[in-house]
Amino acid sequence: RVPPAIPPPISPLSKYKIALCQLSVTSDKERNIAHARKAIEEAAEKGAKLILLPEIWNSPYSNDSFPVYAEDIDAGGEESPSSLMLSEVARSKKVTIVGGSIPERSGGRLYNTCCVFGSDGELKAKHRKIHLFDIDIPGQITFKESETLTAGESPTIVDTDVGRLGIGICYDIRFQELAMLYAARGAHLLCYPGAFNMTTGPLHWELLQRARAADNQLFVATCAPARDVNGSYVAWGHSTVVGAFGEIIATTEHDEAIVIADIDYSQLDLRRANLPLGKQRRGDLYQLVDVQR
């Protein structure tokens, strides 16, 4: 790898509970925000120290809705009620939140953006979806995020109270190079808020999560919206936590749910000792190049 891989740092918490809040999403933005707050508070009361929300949880998932529901996250306050709520509840409950994603307005452009808040309520990182969801399967699904959204330009890795996290959004999970880059930067856990659809969800959602975890020998957590069969976009659901051996630790179906699971980073060392892939890679034949590093 160029530059060489960084081993994961010692995490302030090596064992903790993670929560995935699979939420129903409506056209009522205030309701969506209040509903997400309630779910986060419930997850915290159940002992979760890291809480994930779904992709586009404050808005319907549609190109028509993105401009209407978009927020100026950098301005904060009343200009971004969704991120304000996440900051407040992270601080009050002393939890780390990977805030799913919301439509973001910045510099005359729209992005699909995930905010990570620390247990002090501070914004630790902001990930703009790198790979836009442009898909065309005739007779099944056609969607082009690029009609309204702009792609992000930077991978996002962030140190938190619950370890080093690599952040992706939905379609980002399809690109193994991004996960490899995060592993090479010392991530313990990859978080992918996502809203896979009813066509690719049954085929690829679990497969991709398990592949990213097994290939890179780290944890993967995903969080999806609950399924709304009457919505213009129907999500697959099935929020999941995957272990470093590619095993399913916890998952759910398509209805609203709060999934609680235990994370134990000692498993990373165990699995990397069982299968020493890092030592077995043939750098003389192939390499991953981290351009921005």
Side-chain angles (χ1 to χ4, degrees):
R1 289 174 164 142
V2 182
I6 300 169
I10 296 175
S11 173
L13 285 178
S14 61
K15 295 182 180 180
Y16 62 89
K17 291 187 183 298
I18 185 174
L20 317 175
C21 297
Q22 184 164 290
L23 305 173
S24 63
V25 179
T26 71
S27 58
D28 185 338
K29 185 175 182 179
E30 289 186 1
R31 176 266 177 200
N32 293 336
I33 294 172
H35 191 58
R37 178 192 284 269
K38 183 178 179 182
I40 293 168
E41 290 173 342
E42 181 179 340
E45 289 168 4
K46 292 181 177 180
K49 292 299 182 183
L50 173 62
I51 300 173
L52 274 64
L53 295 186
E55 181 184 24
I56 308 293
W57 59 267
N58 71 344
S59 160
Y61 186 85
S62 73
N63 280 315
D64 290 339
S65 297
F66 296 152
V68 178
Y69 289 76
E71 301 181 6
D72 187 339
I73 295 170
D74 292 338
E78 295 181 357
E79 297 298 317
S80 186
S82 299
S83 59
L84 178 62
M85 179 277 289
L86 295 177
S87 173
E88 290 175 348
V89 74
R91 182 174 58 253
S92 66
K93 295 299 181 180
K94 294 181 172 54
V95 293
T96 300
I97 298 176
V98 176
S101 77
I102 64 172
E104 178 195 12
R105 180 179 290 105
S106 178
R109 295 180 176 181
L110 297 176
Y111 300 91
N112 186 341
T113 301
C114 174
C115 293
V116 180
F117 288 91
S119 57
D120 55 1
E122 294 298 313
L123 179 63
K124 299 289 186 183
K126 188 171 71 170
H127 177 78
R128 290 169 171 168
K129 190 173 188 177
I130 294 174
H131 305 93
L132 295 183
F133 177 58
D134 284 6
I135 185 173
D136 184 15
I137 304 176
Q140 298 185 65
I141 182 171
T142 298
F143 199 100
K144 295 186 183 298
E145 279 188 327
S146 62
E147 289 180 358
T148 55
L149 301 178
T150 299
E153 296 296 332
S154 297
T156 304
I157 194 158
V158 55
D159 288 317
T160 72
D161 290 347
V162 291
R164 182 166 290 178
L165 310 180
I167 309 297
I169 299 174
C170 200
Y171 208 58
D172 286 339
I173 200 173
R174 288 194 176 274
F175 299 87
Q176 64 268 39
E177 297 89 347
L178 181 63
M180 292 166 65
L181 184 151
Y182 287 153
R185 292 188 184 184
H188 297 97
L189 167 70
L190 306 184
C191 299
Y192 294 98
F196 266 51
N197 56 78
M198 297 297 293
T199 300
T200 59
L203 289 171
H204 298 156
W205 182 232
E206 180 182 307
L207 172 69
L208 290 167
Q209 295 175 64
R210 297 183 69 187
R212 298 295 85 85
D215 287 350
N216 297 290
Q217 299 179 308
L218 39 64
F219 289 91
V220 169
T222 63
C223 189
R227 189 179 306 169
D228 177 5
V229 295
N230 297 314
S232 59
Y233 181 93
V234 182
W236 171 240
H238 294 262
S239 302
T240 303
V241 180
V242 183
F245 219 40
E247 75 278 19
I248 300 295
I249 296 175
T251 190
T252 187
E253 296 294 325
H254 60 267
D255 294 326
E256 275 206 322
I258 297 177
V259 179
I260 305 287
D262 291 316
I263 298 290
D264 181 356
Y265 288 150
S266 69
Q267 291 294 307
L268 301 181
D269 293 333
L270 174 63
R271 294 313 183 190
R272 291 171 185 184
N274 295 155
L275 288 172
L277 301 182
K279 298 176 181 177
Q280 296 169 339
R281 285 194 172 90
R282 290 292 303 274
D284 57 323
L285 300 178
Y286 49 80
Q287 293 187 357
L288 171 71
V289 178
D290 189 339
V291 175
Q292 293 185 345
R293 240 180 92 202

